[in-house]
Amino acid sequence: MDVFEKDRQFMRLALEEAEKAGNLGEVPIGAVIVHNGEVIAAASNLRETTQNAVTHAELMAIQQACEKVGSWRLEETTLYVTLEPCPMCAGAILQSRIPRVVYGARDVKAGCVDSLYHLLNDPRFNHECEVTEGVLAEECGQILTDFFRALRERKKAEKKMRKACESE
């Protein structure tokens, strides 16, 4: 199996994590960390569930992987994530020394790998990552689009219901 197909295989696992998040009412983002071809961590977004700003999928996966390998250095690993990492997650990726990041959809509002900033490839830091973008980008973007569309429709229906109750 070539690298491109392996990337697609692991991104599908990250998408499964994103689906889990979406089923919980979380923004559907999933992350998987792989070491020597084996998944050592898998996580999804849990900010709403935990009411904790730092429970992003990437950070949860990094924490699991550190526990698994017994070190804060995640050398020789690859992080797969469905959405381009934010500045907080990009910082954690650099701090944990992950050498390769593969992501699906770009995040034009908060992405700090390619969209707004290039934190993972800034030579001023003491670590840089190889980045592969756009793996299963359509599927990764669609799960987010569907989630936010359903959320807007639900809020619109709730507002309509409130107005109907008020007028009675």
Side-chain angles (χ1 to χ4, degrees):
M1 185 182 311
D2 68 358
V3 173
F4 181 71
E5 191 51 43
K6 283 182 184 176
D7 286 349
R8 291 170 57 88
Q9 172 190 345
F10 291 122
M11 188 61 75
R12 284 186 195 97
L13 296 175
L15 272 165
E16 288 177 17
E17 291 297 319
E19 287 175 19
K20 289 177 188 177
N23 290 337
L24 292 172
E26 297 281 350
V27 175
I29 300 169
V32 170
I33 297 180
V34 175
H35 181 260
N36 293 330
E38 176 190 341
V39 174
I40 61 169
S44 55
N45 229 24
L46 290 174
R47 281 194 319 180
E48 296 299 328
T49 301
T50 63
Q51 288 298 297
N52 185 330
V54 300
T55 52
H56 287 207
E58 299 97 317
L59 297 181
M60 308 274 292
I62 288 169
Q63 186 173 5
Q64 286 177 26
C66 288
E67 289 172 9
K68 175 88 175 185
V69 300
S71 174
W72 61 268
R73 291 178 187 89
L74 297 177
E75 298 162 338
E76 300 176 19
T77 64
T78 300
L79 168 68
Y80 293 87
V81 61
T82 57
L83 184 67
E84 179 183 1
C86 72
M88 176 176 63
C89 293
I93 291 163
L94 291 171
Q95 291 298 315
S96 60
R97 308 297 193 266
I98 295 172
R100 182 166 184 251
V101 174
V102 179
Y103 72 89
R106 277 197 174 201
D107 184 351
V108 297
K109 293 182 179 179
C112 286
V113 175
D114 288 309
S115 295
L116 299 177
Y117 298 99
H118 299 276
L119 293 180
L120 299 185
N121 298 114
D122 188 328
R124 294 173 294 178
F125 290 119
N126 64 342
H127 177 72
E128 292 181 55
C129 300
E130 175 189 337
V131 174
T132 302
E133 74 162 296
V135 175
L136 300 180
E138 189 173 319
E139 294 93 327
C140 292
Q142 192 63 52
I143 193 171
L144 288 160
T145 299
D146 293 347
F147 174 81
F148 285 113
R149 181 180 296 126
L151 183 63
R152 284 189 301 274
E153 289 172 3
R154 192 169 53 249
K155 285 183 178 182
K156 190 175 181 180
E158 288 171 1
K159 185 177 180 181
K160 190 175 182 179
M161 181 73 78
R162 277 194 305 273
K163 281 187 178 184
C165 290
E166 290 171 1
S167 65
E168 290 179 1

